[in-house]
């Protein structure tokens, strides 16, 4: 299985900040990576696929980059509704795996 | 708008079999190149992919659960199901069903896959 190291696990920030979340793979996965946002008590929602393509309806303040083993999710100007937990997920090989999650909290 | 809804018992006894169904509404489970997955999340923890099925019946399972998992599909009912045998407290989690879609890349650069639609999740507790 491909292991994923997502960091940080907890991120404190303020509205208007720019934040970055990292996801590192145990082996190269090209661009076969997606990012999800999950709010408490809700199912995850797709933000980004193919490492950098924004899902329809997702605000442009979200962006993704990277390929191979290192990937980044950036939120350029935090809004109140962005405080949530974020997960990366690889679909390069079975079993599909998720990062451990990054909880983004209000500072 | 396609929606997914999980259903099944919220409480299962240890050593028994957990059975859940995901009902697809707003579209046919057989249309398009979709794969249908089960994913679970223990309280306060991360997400674990359990397995997936195509409407042909072809399946893939997470090796960590493969010996205990069966995923099946009933196209006549627009449903797919999960059975997890010999459950223990470690199987206590919120179980989600999700659709894996082929999503197109800008500029005609082909496509990519992701879980674009999820059910709301159902909590299953394993306890005597």
């Amino acid at each position: 299985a491909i292991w994923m190291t997502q960091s940080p696990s907890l991120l404190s920030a303020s509205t208007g900040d720019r934040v970055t979340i990292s996801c590192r793979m145990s082996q190269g996965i090209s661009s076969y990576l997606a990012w999800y946002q999950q709010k408490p008590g809700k199912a995850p929602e797709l933000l980004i696929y193919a490492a950098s393509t924004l899902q329809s309806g997702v605000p442009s303040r979200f962006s993704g980059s990277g390929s191979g083993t290192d990937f980044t999710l950036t939120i350029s100007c935090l809004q109140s509704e962005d405080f949530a937990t974020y997960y990366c997920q690889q679909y390069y090989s079975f079993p599909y795996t998720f990062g451990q999650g990054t909880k983004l909290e209000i500072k | 708008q396609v929606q997914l809804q999980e259903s099944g018992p919220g409480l299962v006894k240890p050593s028994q079999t957990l059975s859940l169904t995901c009902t697809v509404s707003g579209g046919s489970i057989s249309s398009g190149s979709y794969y249908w997955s089960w994913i679970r999340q223990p309280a306060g923890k991360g997400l674990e992919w359990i397995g997936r099925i195509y409407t042909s019946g072809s399946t893939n399972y997470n090796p960590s659960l493969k010996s205990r998992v069966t995923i099946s599909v009933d196209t006549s009912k627009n449903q797919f199901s999960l059975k997890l045998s010999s459950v223990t407290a470690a199987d206590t989690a919120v179980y989600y069903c999700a659709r894996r879609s082929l999503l197109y890349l800008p500029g005609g650069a082909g496509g990519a896959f992701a879980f674009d639609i999820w059910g709301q999740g159902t909590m299953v507790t394993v306890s005597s």
Side-chain angles (χ1 to χ4, degrees), chain A residues 50-86:
Chain A
S52 61
T53 302
L54 218 57
Q55 169 69 335
S56 175
V58 174
S60 59
R61 62 182 179 272
F62 290 91
S63 64
S65 64
S67 68
T69 59
D70 293 307
F71 299 87
T72 299
L73 172 69
T74 299
I75 311 173
S76 61
C77 182
L78 276 173
Q79 303 298 302
S80 57
E81 61 267 31
D82 300 336
F83 291 96
T85 300
Y86 294 84

Side-chain angles (χ1 to χ4, degrees), chain B residues 1 24 31 34 46 66 76 92 97 99 101 104 111 115 120:
Chain B
Q1 172 106 2
V24 180
S31 66
Y34 302 121
K66 187 175 182 177
S76 67
T92 294
C97 55
R99 185 182 81 172
S101 295
Y104 292 96
F115 298 116
Q120 66 184 27

Side-chain angles (χ1 to χ4, degrees), chain B:
Chain B
Q1 172 106 2
V2 173
Q3 294 183 313
L4 307 182
Q5 178 68 58
E6 305 89 349
S7 59
L11 180 64
V12 181
K13 288 181 167 49
S15 80
Q16 294 191 341
T17 296
L18 177 161
S19 296
L20 297 174
T21 295
C22 182
T23 300
V24 180
S25 60
S28 171
I29 197 172
S30 301
S31 66
S33 300
Y34 302 121
Y35 280 79
W36 306 92
S37 278
W38 288 97
I39 296 161
R40 70 181 183 178
Q41 183 174 38
K45 297 189 177 181
L47 299 156
E48 180 181 32
W49 178 76
I50 298 169
R52 72 172 193 179
I53 191 165
Y54 190 59
T55 48
S56 65
S58 171
T59 55
N60 299 94
Y61 298 131
N62 192 323
S64 68
L65 298 167
K66 187 175 182 177
S67 63
R68 300 193 291 130
V69 172
T70 302
I71 297 176
S72 58
V73 64
D74 187 336
T75 55
S76 67
K77 294 182 178 179
N78 234 27
Q79 295 175 334
F80 63 106
S81 298
L82 168 70
K83 290 189 186 300
L84 181 64
S85 64
S86 305
V87 298
T88 69
D91 297 309
T92 294
V94 175
Y95 285 75
Y96 295 101
C97 55
R99 185 182 81 172
R100 192 217 73 174
S101 295
L102 175 62
L103 304 171
Y104 292 96
L105 299 176
F113 300 108
F115 298 116
D116 65 333
I117 297 178
W118 296 63
Q120 66 184 27
T122 187
M123 178 69 201
V124 178
T125 301
V126 178
S127 175
S128 55

